[in-house]
Amino acid sequence: VFDYPDKESKFYPMPTRANRDKHKLLKKQLPDHIVPAGRCGTYRYIDMDQAVAEAMILAEEINTKWEKTQAQN
């Protein structure tokens, strides 16, 4: 599944059932090492401060997971 913007598209995802379903389908197709984030990655409209805050939390979660993996090796 691909999602291409066109002249009818908004610059951000609209909170519709179709978009939530599309997000679930796209997320299932991602390899484990790809983590969707931000407006486009989560298919949600969020303000920039929310996007940055979520990115910082996500980065910490990824770092913690990586450190645990390294400690096991």
Side-chain angles (χ1 to χ4, degrees), residues 12-63:
Y12 51 85
M14 298 300 292
T16 63
R17 180 183 274 319
N19 276 340
R20 285 190 299 273
D21 291 345
K22 188 184 294 187
H23 173 252
K24 287 178 187 176
L25 179 61
L26 292 170
K27 192 172 178 183
K28 285 180 186 177
Q29 296 178 11
L30 291 176
D32 290 338
H33 66 280
I34 303 294
V35 181
R39 285 182 181 177
C40 292
T42 61
Y43 259 76
R44 295 180 298 137
Y45 176 82
I46 54 176
D47 291 329
M48 185 57 76
D49 60 327
Q50 291 173 287
V52 171
E54 287 181 13
M56 292 173 72
I57 292 167
L58 181 58
E60 185 61 36
E61 290 172 1
I62 291 169
N63 189 51

Side-chain angles (χ1 to χ4, degrees), residues 56-72:
M56 292 173 72
I57 292 167
L58 181 58
E60 185 61 36
E61 290 172 1
I62 291 169
N63 189 51
T64 300
K65 192 177 201 179
W66 182 81
E67 286 176 346
K68 287 179 182 178
T69 301
Q70 295 303 305
Q72 293 173 354

